[in-house]
Amino acid sequence: MAKDMTLLWGSGSPPCWRVQIALEEKNLQGYNQKLLSFEKGEHKSKQVLEINPRGQLPAFKHGNIILNESCAACLYLEHQFKSQGSQLIPEGAAEVGLIYQRIFEAQTLAQKIGEVLYYNWKVPEGERHDSAVQRNKEALTAEMKMWEGYLQGCGGFLAGKSFSLADVIIFPGFAYFFRNGGSEERYPNVAAYYKRLKDRPSIKKTWPPTWNDGPGQEVLKDI
């Protein structure tokens, strides 16, 4: 099964990482994979474009089925291999509803983190506007406070007492936040969740290799 799968990915990318975690949780080791460099522009290579015409990573293929949106790929893997490995979506309607809710909210979290980071990385310092910087930081702060509340007395995971697809999809975003200087003190529930899950086998095995080279930037230190 896994031999029919191909994953092109980039280190440190939360979307790529969530697909890797899902594959591990479903015991789908042995798939074809290739680590590409964003810095070298390899995500725009012909190999990627043949699978993902948007020139983005991850690029994932199972047989003739192509899924380049990471959440779609994770949902597909759970549906297609439901009885294999970890059950990432339970049967109960309430649990399923909460998992789906958190999965789609993950897109807002990623957007708010990205607006702060990429404004800092891509806009030359002399062209930045203090009002835009402040607005982006305030939006991310409000978003993180929301997740801090979600994790208050939640049962240990994002959608109850068991590890689920919500955790697969959202954990990489929190890791990205702390990697780039996000405050553990301001968000103790999120920090405790992050520390509890980072040693889970599927997460530890797929930890971004470039993150082992040293600490990240401190762009989010004021948030």
Side-chain angles (χ1 to χ4, degrees):
M1 292 177 289
K3 292 181 180 179
D4 295 331
M5 297 179 182
T6 297
L7 176 66
L8 307 179
W9 60 285
S11 179
S13 160
C16 295
W17 194 4
R18 59 178 58 140
V19 178
Q20 292 176 292
I21 295 171
L23 286 162
E24 287 296 322
E25 290 288 341
K26 301 309 293 183
N27 290 337
L28 291 166
Q29 297 86 1
Y31 56 90
N32 303 297
Q33 61 171 303
K34 186 173 183 180
L35 172 60
L36 301 176
S37 169
F38 290 111
E39 290 75 14
K40 295 178 181 178
E42 291 177 346
H43 55 299
K44 301 296 184 182
S45 66
K46 180 181 178 182
Q47 183 180 20
V48 174
L49 292 171
E50 287 177 347
I51 301 177
N52 188 348
R54 294 185 183 275
Q56 298 173 341
L57 299 177
F60 178 73
K61 186 176 182 181
H62 179 206
N64 294 321
I65 300 171
I66 292 174
L67 295 128
N68 294 317
E69 288 297 327
S70 59
C71 290
C74 291
L75 286 162
Y76 170 82
L77 290 169
E78 172 60 16
H79 178 270
Q80 195 70 11
F81 302 98
K82 192 170 184 64
S83 61
Q84 182 171 319
S86 303
Q87 184 181 18
L88 298 175
I89 299 180
E91 300 296 333
E95 291 86 354
V96 171
L98 183 56
I99 288 169
Y100 285 165
Q101 176 65 29
R102 295 291 178 261
I103 285 173
F104 286 98
E105 284 186 276
Q107 310 314 306
T108 302
L109 174 64
Q111 177 188 342
K112 300 303 181 186
I113 293 174
E115 285 172 351
V116 176
L117 290 178
Y118 295 118
Y119 192 82
N120 182 80
W121 291 340
K122 293 188 175 184
V123 179
E125 188 171 356
E127 298 178 15
R128 297 174 198 162
H129 296 281
D130 290 343
S131 59
V133 172
Q134 187 62 27
R135 183 169 60 250
N136 290 340
K137 286 184 176 181
E138 288 175 354
L140 178 53
T141 297
E143 183 67 21
M144 288 302 299
K145 286 180 178 178
M146 188 167 293
W147 290 95
E148 178 71 8
Y150 289 160
L151 285 163
Q152 179 69 42
C154 67
F157 298 96
L158 279 165
K161 297 181 179 179
S162 299
F163 185 85
S164 74
L165 200 63
D167 302 291
V168 170
I169 286 172
I170 295 163
F171 174 85
F174 289 151
Y176 195 56
F177 175 79
F178 291 124
R179 166 75 178 174
N180 286 287
S183 172
E184 294 185 4
E185 290 74 22
R186 291 191 188 97
Y187 310 103
N189 292 332
V190 178
Y193 168 85
Y194 164 73
K195 291 175 181 177
R196 186 165 57 250
L197 261 66
K198 70 187 181 91
D199 289 325
R200 186 176 176 89
S202 63
I203 291 172
K204 197 170 183 178
K205 185 175 180 180
T206 56
W207 196 263
T210 53
W211 289 11
N212 296 322
D213 297 337
Q217 300 184 40
E218 296 293 308
V219 179
L220 306 179
K221 64 181 180 180
D222 298 326
I223 297 173

